[in-house]
Amino acid sequence: MTTFRALVATLAVLFIAACTDTQAVSQKDVNALAQQLRALGPEVDPAEAQRAAEISYSYGRQLAREYNVTSSPIIHNAKVLNGFRERGLCVHYAQDMQKRLNQENFRTLVIHRAIATPDNIWRIDHSTAVISRRGDNMYEGVVLDPWRNAGELFWSPTRADEVYNWRPQREVLEEKAAAKLARQPS
């Protein structure tokens, strides 16, 4: 009987573990991002840096749950584009992350939007949010990209991101609008 109880207890633990989020965000990860944000300059409020780091990690995961992400980002994109999911493109993550962080009304930090134009095999743009010290541009900030790892936050100083060449969203959209206008028949 003791073996049976041990088996049932083991199965219960495995079942619970399978139903929970096994990739818990560590406080060490959150603190590392907060430290990077504080390092943006002495004017950055440490409490704001900590709050921004906590939100960035937790909200990226929340968005993945809300978007019902169950696959890689590229496959999830195909699901959205084919109508099987409503949201979950990188632009959705960027919009929602920017909106959520802006709700904090940070005094010493500001949220930017960035786009990387298609320098990849998929030939698609990639959007993200970037956080910087108030008064700095996005190139002096930190990329906050939960799309890249299906809800698990990737962050990096903007210029140090080895995968994407980020540019200000407005600049990219203006170029696209001008190119579209130039292609229209006179």
Side-chain angles (χ1 to χ4, degrees):
M1 192 65 155
T2 305
T3 305
F4 179 72
R5 286 186 182 158
L7 178 62
V8 170
T10 301
L11 290 174
V13 168
L14 290 174
F15 178 75
I16 291 168
C19 294
T20 60
D21 198 350
T22 58
Q23 295 181 341
V25 173
S26 76
Q27 192 60 44
K28 181 180 175 183
D29 293 334
V30 172
N31 291 344
L33 175 55
Q35 175 58 39
Q36 182 69 47
L37 296 177
R38 287 191 302 275
L40 294 173
E43 304 84 1
V44 173
D45 180 333
E48 285 188 3
Q50 189 68 37
R51 183 75 181 130
E54 290 167 357
I55 291 168
S56 297
Y57 269 101
S58 64
Y59 198 59
R61 300 179 105 210
Q62 178 181 331
L63 290 174
R65 286 189 302 273
E66 289 176 10
Y67 301 156
N68 194 21
V69 175
T70 58
S71 56
S72 72
I74 294 296
I75 291 174
H76 189 81
N77 279 11
K79 291 175 183 178
V80 173
L81 296 173
N82 287 294
F84 297 108
R85 298 284 195 277
E86 286 187 36
R87 294 179 63 80
L89 302 176
C90 60
V91 68
H92 299 141
Y93 276 100
Q95 289 168 343
D96 292 345
M97 182 66 77
Q98 180 182 31
K99 181 180 177 183
R100 174 62 190 92
L101 287 168
N102 279 337
Q103 289 174 349
E104 294 299 307
N105 295 313
F106 293 128
R107 293 176 303 100
T108 64
L109 297 168
V110 66
I111 314 305
H112 308 269
R113 285 285 298 287
I115 296 177
T117 52
D119 296 334
N120 54 61
I121 62 170
W122 305 106
R123 303 298 304 153
I124 56 175
D125 291 347
H126 181 37
S127 296
T128 198
V130 176
I131 190 168
S132 75
R133 175 178 62 173
R134 187 163 297 282
D136 284 353
N137 63 44
M138 60 163 259
Y139 297 108
E140 304 306 318
V142 176
V143 169
L144 303 173
D145 186 2
W147 175 87
R148 190 179 311 201
N149 296 317
E152 298 301 318
L153 185 68
F154 168 87
W155 63 267
S156 165
T158 306
R159 290 189 169 126
D161 190 337
E162 296 178 358
V163 177
Y164 294 102
N165 181 24
W166 298 108
R167 297 176 49 214
Q169 178 191 37
R170 175 180 285 162
E171 180 181 295
V172 173
L173 295 179
E174 286 173 355
E175 285 177 9
K176 286 181 177 226
K180 184 177 180 179
L181 190 60
R183 288 192 304 268
Q184 292 180 350
S186 326

